[in-house]
Amino acid sequence: QAGLTQPPSVSKGLRQTATLTCTGNSNNVGNQGAAWLQQHLGHPPKLLSYKNYNRPSGISERFSASRSGNTASLTITGLQPEDEADYYCSAWDSSLSAWVFGGGTKLTVL
Amino acid sequence: QVQLVQSGAEVKKPGSSVRVSCKASGGTFNSYIVTWVRQAPGQGFEWLGRIIPPHGTTNYSQKFQGRVTITADESMSTAYMELNSLRSEDTAMYYCARDSGTYVFHYWGQGTQVTVSS
């Protein structure tokens, strides 16, 4: 089962803003920050952000990540049809000495 | 540009073992962490473990400890993941991912489908 908690689904309209959340604890998100991954059906994931580092090359500035306490958030502005995908968060858990993942959020762009 | 190419799909019997390879091109192979994760059909990701350069130190998920072995052949720029005592619940897509210094999970292989069925 997932170690981090994400809402199963979020639906937003075209050109709107979506904020996806990922809740962990002080051993993972609260301590280490989170990585965010985007996965389109049938494809491997793509890294969107990691901790508070700049976005990897090629990732749109419409994607931004933040953290408050034990909750990480991914904000996607100006939603486009191609943003419809599954989004996963992940964090290093210092108590488990393992990477843990959220169960994923399916983003639907209406 | 870094590319990770994984070996092809496997169909295995319960109780057997599977070895999946992940060959890297571009960049320095032995300088970055390689991680293995899996994704069961319609499910999220599960971390199996990782191999850390330069000495090949490995960390494994407690869940898979004793059943999974991750190795790397620097001369072949290839990492391997072997999973033993396969059961039906191990049916999943297995991915390798490589860090890039700043970023974890920066580069991904295309995935290898492992099906365990009698």
Side-chain angles (χ1 to χ4, degrees), chain A residues 25-89:
Chain A
N25 59 42
S26 58
N27 294 316
N28 44 61
V29 175
N31 183 33
Q32 302 284 333
W36 285 93
L37 303 167
Q38 177 193 59
Q39 186 182 36
H40 289 104
L41 189 64
H43 291 270
K46 178 196 294 185
L47 180 70
L48 297 176
S49 76
Y50 177 51
K51 294 186 178 182
N52 61 346
Y53 297 136
N54 291 334
R55 283 178 299 278
S57 174
I59 301 302
S60 170
E61 61 185 12
R62 297 188 297 106
F63 294 90
S64 63
S66 61
R67 178 172 67 96
S68 176
N70 296 333
T71 298
S73 299
L74 178 72
T75 298
I76 312 168
T77 59
L79 283 169
Q80 299 297 308
E82 60 266 29
D83 298 331
E84 190 161 290
D86 294 322
Y87 292 82
Y88 295 91
C89 60

Short mmCIF file of all heavy atoms in Angstrom, two decimals, chain A residues 25-89:
data_model
loop_
_atom_site.label_atom_id
_atom_site.label_comp_id
_atom_site.label_asym_id
_atom_site.label_seq_id
_atom_site.Cartn_x
_atom_site.Cartn_y
_atom_site.Cartn_z
N ASN A 25 4.76 12.26 6.39
CA ASN A 25 5.03 12.55 7.80
C ASN A 25 6.42 13.16 7.93
O ASN A 25 7.09 13.46 6.91
CB ASN A 25 4.89 11.27 8.64
CG ASN A 25 5.81 10.16 8.20
OD1 ASN A 25 6.98 10.39 7.88
ND2 ASN A 25 5.30 8.93 8.17
N SER A 26 6.86 13.33 9.16
CA SER A 26 8.13 14.02 9.41
C SER A 26 9.34 13.19 8.99
O SER A 26 10.46 13.71 8.95
CB SER A 26 8.25 14.38 10.89
OG SER A 26 8.15 13.21 11.68
N ASN A 27 9.13 11.90 8.70
CA ASN A 27 10.25 11.07 8.25
C ASN A 27 10.46 11.12 6.74
O ASN A 27 11.51 10.69 6.25
CB ASN A 27 10.03 9.60 8.66
CG ASN A 27 10.06 9.41 10.16
OD1 ASN A 27 10.92 9.95 10.84
ND2 ASN A 27 9.09 8.66 10.69
N ASN A 28 9.46 11.57 6.02
CA ASN A 28 9.59 11.58 4.57
C ASN A 28 9.36 12.98 4.00
O ASN A 28 10.29 13.78 3.89
CB ASN A 28 8.72 10.52 3.91
CG ASN A 28 7.31 10.44 4.49
OD1 ASN A 28 6.56 11.40 4.44
ND2 ASN A 28 6.96 9.28 5.04
N VAL A 29 8.14 13.33 3.65
CA VAL A 29 7.88 14.63 3.03
C VAL A 29 8.36 15.78 3.91
O VAL A 29 9.00 16.73 3.44
CB VAL A 29 6.38 14.79 2.70
CG1 VAL A 29 6.10 16.20 2.17
CG2 VAL A 29 5.93 13.75 1.68
N GLY A 30 8.05 15.69 5.20
CA GLY A 30 8.40 16.77 6.11
C GLY A 30 9.89 16.95 6.31
O GLY A 30 10.36 18.02 6.68
N ASN A 31 10.64 15.91 6.02
CA ASN A 31 12.08 15.95 6.25
C ASN A 31 12.87 16.10 4.97
O ASN A 31 13.87 16.82 4.91
CB ASN A 31 12.51 14.66 6.97
CG ASN A 31 13.98 14.65 7.31
OD1 ASN A 31 14.57 15.69 7.59
ND2 ASN A 31 14.58 13.49 7.28
N GLN A 32 12.44 15.41 3.93
CA GLN A 32 13.22 15.28 2.71
C GLN A 32 12.64 15.99 1.50
O GLN A 32 13.29 16.08 0.47
CB GLN A 32 13.39 13.79 2.35
CG GLN A 32 14.03 12.95 3.44
CD GLN A 32 15.52 13.18 3.52
OE1 GLN A 32 16.16 13.55 2.54
NE2 GLN A 32 16.08 12.98 4.69
N GLY A 33 11.39 16.46 1.62
CA GLY A 33 10.75 17.01 0.43
C GLY A 33 10.30 15.88 -0.48
O GLY A 33 10.50 14.70 -0.19
N ALA A 34 9.70 16.24 -1.60
CA ALA A 34 9.11 15.22 -2.47
C ALA A 34 9.51 15.41 -3.92
O ALA A 34 9.89 16.50 -4.35
CB ALA A 34 7.58 15.26 -2.36
N ALA A 35 9.42 14.32 -4.65
CA ALA A 35 9.53 14.34 -6.10
C ALA A 35 8.14 14.16 -6.67
O ALA A 35 7.30 13.46 -6.08
CB ALA A 35 10.46 13.23 -6.59
N TRP A 36 7.89 14.79 -7.81
CA TRP A 36 6.61 14.64 -8.50
C TRP A 36 6.85 14.04 -9.89
O TRP A 36 7.73 14.48 -10.61
CB TRP A 36 5.91 15.98 -8.64
CG TRP A 36 5.29 16.48 -7.38
CD1 TRP A 36 5.84 17.32 -6.46
CD2 TRP A 36 3.98 16.15 -6.88
NE1 TRP A 36 4.98 17.53 -5.41
CE2 TRP A 36 3.82 16.83 -5.66
CE3 TRP A 36 2.93 15.35 -7.35
CZ2 TRP A 36 2.65 16.74 -4.89
CZ3 TRP A 36 1.77 15.26 -6.59
CH2 TRP A 36 1.63 15.95 -5.38
N LEU A 37 6.02 13.04 -10.20
CA LEU A 37 6.13 12.34 -11.46
C LEU A 37 4.80 12.40 -12.20
O LEU A 37 3.74 12.32 -11.58
CB LEU A 37 6.49 10.86 -11.22
CG LEU A 37 7.77 10.58 -10.42
CD1 LEU A 37 7.82 9.14 -9.99
CD2 LEU A 37 8.99 10.94 -11.24
N GLN A 38 4.89 12.52 -13.51
CA GLN A 38 3.71 12.49 -14.37
C GLN A 38 3.77 11.22 -15.22
O GLN A 38 4.83 10.89 -15.76
CB GLN A 38 3.71 13.71 -15.29
CG GLN A 38 2.56 13.77 -16.28
CD GLN A 38 2.82 14.81 -17.36
OE1 GLN A 38 3.81 14.76 -18.08
NE2 GLN A 38 1.93 15.79 -17.46
N GLN A 39 2.65 10.53 -15.31
CA GLN A 39 2.62 9.32 -16.13
C GLN A 39 1.39 9.30 -17.02
O GLN A 39 0.27 9.30 -16.52
CB GLN A 39 2.66 8.06 -15.27
CG GLN A 39 2.78 6.77 -16.09
CD GLN A 39 2.77 5.52 -15.25
OE1 GLN A 39 2.08 5.44 -14.24
NE2 GLN A 39 3.55 4.51 -15.66
N HIS A 40 1.62 9.28 -18.31
CA HIS A 40 0.53 9.07 -19.25
C HIS A 40 0.36 7.57 -19.46
O HIS A 40 1.31 6.80 -19.37
CB HIS A 40 0.83 9.76 -20.58
CG HIS A 40 0.75 11.25 -20.51
ND1 HIS A 40 1.87 12.06 -20.47
CD2 HIS A 40 -0.32 12.09 -20.47
CE1 HIS A 40 1.48 13.33 -20.40
NE2 HIS A 40 0.17 13.38 -20.39
N LEU A 41 -0.87 7.19 -19.75
CA LEU A 41 -1.21 5.78 -19.88
C LEU A 41 -0.29 5.07 -20.86
O LEU A 41 -0.09 5.54 -21.98
CB LEU A 41 -2.67 5.65 -20.34
CG LEU A 41 -3.26 4.25 -20.32
CD1 LEU A 41 -3.33 3.72 -18.90
CD2 LEU A 41 -4.65 4.25 -20.96
N GLY A 42 0.29 3.98 -20.40
CA GLY A 42 1.14 3.18 -21.27
C GLY A 42 2.56 3.68 -21.43
O GLY A 42 3.31 3.14 -22.25
N HIS A 43 2.94 4.69 -20.66
CA HIS A 43 4.28 5.27 -20.76
C HIS A 43 4.97 5.25 -19.41
O HIS A 43 4.31 5.21 -18.37
CB HIS A 43 4.19 6.71 -21.27
CG HIS A 43 3.76 6.81 -22.69
ND1 HIS A 43 4.65 6.80 -23.74
CD2 HIS A 43 2.52 6.88 -23.23
CE1 HIS A 43 3.97 6.88 -24.87
NE2 HIS A 43 2.69 6.94 -24.60
N PRO A 44 6.31 5.30 -19.43
CA PRO A 44 7.01 5.42 -18.15
C PRO A 44 6.78 6.81 -17.56
O PRO A 44 6.37 7.74 -18.28
CB PRO A 44 8.49 5.22 -18.53
CG PRO A 44 8.56 5.52 -19.98
CD PRO A 44 7.23 5.17 -20.56
N PRO A 45 7.04 6.97 -16.28
CA PRO A 45 6.85 8.28 -15.66
C PRO A 45 7.88 9.29 -16.16
O PRO A 45 8.92 8.94 -16.71
CB PRO A 45 7.05 8.02 -14.16
CG PRO A 45 7.13 6.56 -14.00
CD PRO A 45 7.49 5.97 -15.32
N LYS A 46 7.56 10.56 -15.90
CA LYS A 46 8.46 11.66 -16.21
C LYS A 46 8.60 12.50 -14.95
O LYS A 46 7.60 12.84 -14.31
CB LYS A 46 7.90 12.52 -17.33
CG LYS A 46 8.76 13.74 -17.68
CD LYS A 46 8.00 14.76 -18.51
CE LYS A 46 7.63 14.26 -19.86
NZ LYS A 46 7.00 15.33 -20.68
N LEU A 47 9.83 12.86 -14.61
CA LEU A 47 10.06 13.69 -13.44
C LEU A 47 9.68 15.13 -13.73
O LEU A 47 10.16 15.73 -14.69
CB LEU A 47 11.54 13.62 -13.02
CG LEU A 47 11.91 14.46 -11.80
CD1 LEU A 47 11.31 13.87 -10.53
CD2 LEU A 47 13.43 14.58 -11.66
N LEU A 48 8.82 15.70 -12.88
CA LEU A 48 8.39 17.09 -13.03
C LEU A 48 9.14 18.03 -12.08
O LEU A 48 9.41 19.18 -12.44
CB LEU A 48 6.89 17.21 -12.73
CG LEU A 48 5.94 16.46 -13.64
CD1 LEU A 48 4.51 16.64 -13.13
CD2 LEU A 48 6.07 16.94 -15.08
N SER A 49 9.40 17.55 -10.88
CA SER A 49 10.10 18.40 -9.92
C SER A 49 10.68 17.54 -8.82
O SER A 49 10.25 16.40 -8.60
CB SER A 49 9.15 19.44 -9.31
OG SER A 49 8.30 18.83 -8.36
N TYR A 50 11.67 18.10 -8.13
CA TYR A 50 12.28 17.40 -7.01
C TYR A 50 12.69 18.43 -5.96
O TYR A 50 13.46 19.36 -6.26
CB TYR A 50 13.50 16.59 -7.45
CG TYR A 50 14.21 15.90 -6.33
CD1 TYR A 50 13.51 15.10 -5.43
CD2 TYR A 50 15.58 16.04 -6.16
CE1 TYR A 50 14.16 14.46 -4.39
CE2 TYR A 50 16.23 15.40 -5.11
CZ TYR A 50 15.53 14.61 -4.24
OH TYR A 50 16.16 13.98 -3.21
N LYS A 51 12.16 18.24 -4.77
CA LYS A 51 12.38 19.16 -3.65
C LYS A 51 12.11 20.58 -4.14
O LYS A 51 11.11 20.84 -4.82
CB LYS A 51 13.80 19.00 -3.11
CG LYS A 51 14.06 17.66 -2.46
CD LYS A 51 15.42 17.63 -1.83
CE LYS A 51 15.69 16.32 -1.13
NZ LYS A 51 17.00 16.28 -0.46
N ASN A 52 12.96 21.52 -3.80
CA ASN A 52 12.76 22.90 -4.23
C ASN A 52 13.75 23.28 -5.32
O ASN A 52 14.02 24.47 -5.55
CB ASN A 52 12.88 23.85 -3.04
CG ASN A 52 14.25 23.77 -2.40
OD1 ASN A 52 15.01 22.85 -2.66
ND2 ASN A 52 14.59 24.76 -1.57
N TYR A 53 14.29 22.26 -6.00
CA TYR A 53 15.21 22.54 -7.09
C TYR A 53 14.45 23.08 -8.29
O TYR A 53 13.24 22.90 -8.43
CB TYR A 53 15.96 21.28 -7.50
CG TYR A 53 16.84 20.70 -6.42
CD1 TYR A 53 16.85 19.33 -6.17
CD2 TYR A 53 17.66 21.50 -5.64
CE1 TYR A 53 17.65 18.78 -5.18
CE2 TYR A 53 18.45 20.97 -4.64
CZ TYR A 53 18.44 19.61 -4.43
OH TYR A 53 19.23 19.06 -3.44
N ASN A 54 15.19 23.75 -9.16
CA ASN A 54 14.59 24.19 -10.42
C ASN A 54 14.04 22.99 -11.18
O ASN A 54 14.53 21.88 -11.04
CB ASN A 54 15.63 24.90 -11.28
CG ASN A 54 16.06 26.23 -10.69
OD1 ASN A 54 15.30 26.85 -9.95
ND2 ASN A 54 17.27 26.66 -11.00
N ARG A 55 13.02 23.23 -11.99
CA ARG A 55 12.46 22.16 -12.81
C ARG A 55 13.52 21.55 -13.72
O ARG A 55 14.38 22.26 -14.24
CB ARG A 55 11.33 22.72 -13.69
CG ARG A 55 10.02 22.98 -12.98
CD ARG A 55 9.03 23.57 -13.95
NE ARG A 55 9.51 24.84 -14.49
CZ ARG A 55 9.38 25.99 -13.87
NH1 ARG A 55 8.81 26.05 -12.69
NH2 ARG A 55 9.84 27.10 -14.43
N PRO A 56 13.44 20.25 -13.92
CA PRO A 56 14.35 19.64 -14.90
C PRO A 56 14.15 20.29 -16.26
O PRO A 56 13.07 20.81 -16.57
CB PRO A 56 13.91 18.17 -14.91
CG PRO A 56 13.21 17.96 -13.61
CD PRO A 56 12.58 19.25 -13.27
N SER A 57 15.18 20.23 -17.05
CA SER A 57 15.13 20.81 -18.39
C SER A 57 13.96 20.21 -19.18
O SER A 57 13.73 19.01 -19.15
CB SER A 57 16.45 20.51 -19.11
OG SER A 57 16.38 20.93 -20.45
N GLY A 58 13.22 21.08 -19.85
CA GLY A 58 12.13 20.61 -20.69
C GLY A 58 10.78 20.56 -20.01
O GLY A 58 9.76 20.33 -20.67
N ILE A 59 10.74 20.80 -18.71
CA ILE A 59 9.47 20.80 -17.99
C ILE A 59 8.88 22.20 -18.00
O ILE A 59 9.55 23.17 -17.65
CB ILE A 59 9.65 20.31 -16.54
CG1 ILE A 59 10.24 18.89 -16.53
CG2 ILE A 59 8.32 20.35 -15.79
CD1 ILE A 59 9.42 17.87 -17.29
N SER A 60 7.62 22.28 -18.38
CA SER A 60 6.95 23.57 -18.52
C SER A 60 6.92 24.33 -17.20
O SER A 60 6.76 23.75 -16.12
CB SER A 60 5.52 23.35 -19.01
OG SER A 60 4.78 24.55 -18.95
N GLU A 61 7.02 25.66 -17.32
CA GLU A 61 6.94 26.52 -16.14
C GLU A 61 5.52 26.53 -15.56
O GLU A 61 5.29 27.10 -14.49
CB GLU A 61 7.36 27.94 -16.49
CG GLU A 61 6.49 28.59 -17.55
CD GLU A 61 7.02 29.95 -17.96
OE1 GLU A 61 8.17 30.29 -17.61
OE2 GLU A 61 6.28 30.69 -18.63
N ARG A 62 4.59 25.89 -16.25
CA ARG A 62 3.23 25.79 -15.70
C ARG A 62 3.17 24.84 -14.50
O ARG A 62 2.19 24.82 -13.77
CB ARG A 62 2.24 25.32 -16.78
CG ARG A 62 2.12 26.27 -17.96
CD ARG A 62 0.99 25.85 -18.89
NE ARG A 62 1.22 24.55 -19.52
CZ ARG A 62 0.57 23.44 -19.19
NH1 ARG A 62 -0.34 23.45 -18.22
NH2 ARG A 62 0.83 22.31 -19.83
N PHE A 63 4.21 24.05 -14.33
CA PHE A 63 4.29 23.11 -13.20
C PHE A 63 5.16 23.73 -12.10
O PHE A 63 6.30 24.10 -12.35
CB PHE A 63 4.89 21.78 -13.64
CG PHE A 63 4.04 21.01 -14.60
CD1 PHE A 63 4.19 21.19 -15.97
CD2 PHE A 63 3.08 20.12 -14.14
CE1 PHE A 63 3.40 20.49 -16.87
CE2 PHE A 63 2.28 19.41 -15.03
CZ PHE A 63 2.44 19.61 -16.40
N SER A 64 4.62 23.80 -10.89
CA SER A 64 5.43 24.29 -9.78
C SER A 64 5.11 23.48 -8.53
O SER A 64 3.98 23.04 -8.34
CB SER A 64 5.19 25.78 -9.53
OG SER A 64 3.83 26.00 -9.15
N ALA A 65 6.11 23.26 -7.72
CA ALA A 65 5.95 22.44 -6.53
C ALA A 65 6.27 23.25 -5.28
O ALA A 65 7.07 24.20 -5.32
CB ALA A 65 6.85 21.21 -6.61
N SER A 66 5.65 22.87 -4.18
CA SER A 66 5.91 23.53 -2.91
C SER A 66 5.70 22.52 -1.79
O SER A 66 5.26 21.39 -2.01
CB SER A 66 4.99 24.74 -2.72
OG SER A 66 3.63 24.31 -2.72
N ARG A 67 6.03 22.94 -0.58
CA ARG A 67 5.85 22.06 0.59
C ARG A 67 5.51 22.91 1.80
O ARG A 67 6.08 23.99 2.00
CB ARG A 67 7.11 21.25 0.86
CG ARG A 67 7.04 20.34 2.08
CD ARG A 67 8.25 19.45 2.15
NE ARG A 67 9.48 20.19 2.40
CZ ARG A 67 10.02 20.36 3.60
NH1 ARG A 67 9.42 19.88 4.67
NH2 ARG A 67 11.16 21.02 3.75
N SER A 68 4.59 22.40 2.59
CA SER A 68 4.26 23.02 3.87
C SER A 68 4.16 21.91 4.89
O SER A 68 3.24 21.08 4.82
CB SER A 68 2.95 23.81 3.78
OG SER A 68 2.62 24.33 5.04
N GLY A 69 5.09 21.88 5.81
CA GLY A 69 5.08 20.82 6.80
C GLY A 69 5.22 19.45 6.13
O GLY A 69 6.15 19.22 5.36
N ASN A 70 4.28 18.56 6.42
CA ASN A 70 4.34 17.20 5.89
C ASN A 70 3.55 17.02 4.60
O ASN A 70 3.34 15.89 4.15
CB ASN A 70 3.80 16.22 6.93
CG ASN A 70 4.65 16.18 8.20
OD1 ASN A 70 5.85 16.46 8.16
ND2 ASN A 70 4.02 15.84 9.32
N THR A 71 3.11 18.13 4.00
CA THR A 71 2.34 18.07 2.76
C THR A 71 3.06 18.77 1.63
O THR A 71 3.44 19.93 1.75
CB THR A 71 0.95 18.68 2.95
OG1 THR A 71 0.22 17.93 3.95
CG2 THR A 71 0.16 18.65 1.65
N ALA A 72 3.24 18.03 0.54
CA ALA A 72 3.80 18.61 -0.68
C ALA A 72 2.67 18.88 -1.65
O ALA A 72 1.64 18.17 -1.64
CB ALA A 72 4.81 17.64 -1.30
N SER A 73 2.85 19.89 -2.49
CA SER A 73 1.81 20.24 -3.46
C SER A 73 2.44 20.46 -4.82
O SER A 73 3.56 20.94 -4.94
CB SER A 73 1.08 21.52 -3.04
OG SER A 73 0.43 21.35 -1.79
N LEU A 74 1.67 20.10 -5.85
CA LEU A 74 2.05 20.37 -7.24
C LEU A 74 0.94 21.20 -7.84
O LEU A 74 -0.22 20.79 -7.83
CB LEU A 74 2.21 19.06 -8.03
CG LEU A 74 2.55 19.23 -9.51
CD1 LEU A 74 4.00 19.70 -9.67
CD2 LEU A 74 2.32 17.94 -10.28
N THR A 75 1.29 22.38 -8.32
CA THR A 75 0.32 23.27 -8.94
C THR A 75 0.57 23.32 -10.43
O THR A 75 1.70 23.50 -10.88
CB THR A 75 0.41 24.68 -8.34
OG1 THR A 75 0.10 24.61 -6.93
CG2 THR A 75 -0.59 25.62 -9.01
N ILE A 76 -0.51 23.13 -11.18
CA ILE A 76 -0.43 23.16 -12.64
C ILE A 76 -1.36 24.28 -13.10
O ILE A 76 -2.58 24.23 -12.88
CB ILE A 76 -0.88 21.83 -13.27
CG1 ILE A 76 -0.20 20.64 -12.57
CG2 ILE A 76 -0.55 21.82 -14.77
CD1 ILE A 76 -0.79 19.29 -12.94
N THR A 77 -0.78 25.31 -13.72
CA THR A 77 -1.58 26.44 -14.18
C THR A 77 -1.89 26.29 -15.67
O THR A 77 -1.21 25.56 -16.39
CB THR A 77 -0.82 27.76 -13.95
OG1 THR A 77 0.42 27.70 -14.65
CG2 THR A 77 -0.54 27.98 -12.47
N GLY A 78 -2.93 27.00 -16.11
CA GLY A 78 -3.29 27.00 -17.53
C GLY A 78 -3.45 25.59 -18.08
O GLY A 78 -2.84 25.24 -19.10
N LEU A 79 -4.28 24.79 -17.43
CA LEU A 79 -4.40 23.37 -17.80
C LEU A 79 -4.65 23.17 -19.28
O LEU A 79 -5.47 23.86 -19.90
CB LEU A 79 -5.52 22.73 -16.99
CG LEU A 79 -5.19 22.39 -15.54
CD1 LEU A 79 -6.43 22.01 -14.76
CD2 LEU A 79 -4.14 21.27 -15.48
N GLN A 80 -3.91 22.19 -19.83
CA GLN A 80 -4.02 21.82 -21.23
C GLN A 80 -4.47 20.36 -21.34
O GLN A 80 -4.30 19.58 -20.38
CB GLN A 80 -2.66 21.98 -21.91
CG GLN A 80 -2.13 23.41 -21.90
CD GLN A 80 -3.03 24.35 -22.68
OE1 GLN A 80 -3.37 24.10 -23.84
NE2 GLN A 80 -3.43 25.44 -22.03
N PRO A 81 -5.02 19.97 -22.46
CA PRO A 81 -5.46 18.58 -22.62
C PRO A 81 -4.35 17.57 -22.33
O PRO A 81 -4.60 16.51 -21.75
CB PRO A 81 -5.91 18.51 -24.08
CG PRO A 81 -6.30 19.91 -24.42
CD PRO A 81 -5.35 20.79 -23.65
N GLU A 82 -3.10 17.91 -22.69
CA GLU A 82 -2.00 16.97 -22.49
C GLU A 82 -1.59 16.83 -21.03
O GLU A 82 -0.79 15.95 -20.69
CB GLU A 82 -0.77 17.39 -23.31
CG GLU A 82 -0.22 18.76 -22.97
CD GLU A 82 -0.76 19.87 -23.88
OE1 GLU A 82 -1.92 19.73 -24.37
OE2 GLU A 82 -0.03 20.86 -24.08
N ASP A 83 -2.16 17.66 -20.16
CA ASP A 83 -1.88 17.52 -18.73
C ASP A 83 -2.69 16.39 -18.10
O ASP A 83 -2.44 16.01 -16.95
CB ASP A 83 -2.16 18.83 -17.98
CG ASP A 83 -1.29 19.98 -18.46
OD1 ASP A 83 -0.16 19.72 -18.92
OD2 ASP A 83 -1.75 21.13 -18.40
N GLU A 84 -3.67 15.90 -18.84
CA GLU A 84 -4.48 14.79 -18.31
C GLU A 84 -3.58 13.56 -18.21
O GLU A 84 -3.07 13.04 -19.21
CB GLU A 84 -5.67 14.53 -19.24
CG GLU A 84 -6.68 13.57 -18.66
CD GLU A 84 -8.03 13.66 -19.33
OE1 GLU A 84 -8.75 14.66 -19.15
OE2 GLU A 84 -8.37 12.71 -20.07
N ALA A 85 -3.39 13.11 -16.98
CA ALA A 85 -2.43 12.03 -16.70
C ALA A 85 -2.57 11.63 -15.23
O ALA A 85 -3.36 12.22 -14.48
CB ALA A 85 -1.00 12.51 -16.97
N ASP A 86 -1.77 10.65 -14.84
CA ASP A 86 -1.65 10.29 -13.44
C ASP A 86 -0.42 10.97 -12.86
O ASP A 86 0.63 11.02 -13.50
CB ASP A 86 -1.52 8.77 -13.28
CG ASP A 86 -2.79 8.04 -13.69
OD1 ASP A 86 -3.88 8.55 -13.43
OD2 ASP A 86 -2.66 6.95 -14.29
N TYR A 87 -0.56 11.48 -11.65
CA TYR A 87 0.53 12.19 -11.00
C TYR A 87 0.86 11.49 -9.68
O TYR A 87 -0.03 11.22 -8.87
CB TYR A 87 0.15 13.65 -10.74
CG TYR A 87 0.03 14.43 -12.02
CD1 TYR A 87 -1.14 14.39 -12.78
CD2 TYR A 87 1.09 15.20 -12.49
CE1 TYR A 87 -1.25 15.07 -13.98
CE2 TYR A 87 1.00 15.89 -13.68
CZ TYR A 87 -0.17 15.83 -14.42
OH TYR A 87 -0.27 16.51 -15.61
N TYR A 88 2.14 11.23 -9.49
CA TYR A 88 2.61 10.53 -8.30
C TYR A 88 3.63 11.38 -7.56
O TYR A 88 4.47 12.04 -8.17
CB TYR A 88 3.26 9.20 -8.67
CG TYR A 88 2.32 8.20 -9.29
CD1 TYR A 88 2.14 8.13 -10.66
CD2 TYR A 88 1.62 7.29 -8.48
CE1 TYR A 88 1.28 7.21 -11.23
CE2 TYR A 88 0.76 6.36 -9.04
CZ TYR A 88 0.59 6.33 -10.41
OH TYR A 88 -0.27 5.41 -10.96
N CYS A 89 3.57 11.31 -6.25
CA CYS A 89 4.62 11.92 -5.45
C CYS A 89 5.45 10.80 -4.83
O CYS A 89 4.99 9.66 -4.69
CB CYS A 89 4.06 12.81 -4.35
SG CYS A 89 2.98 11.99 -3.17
#
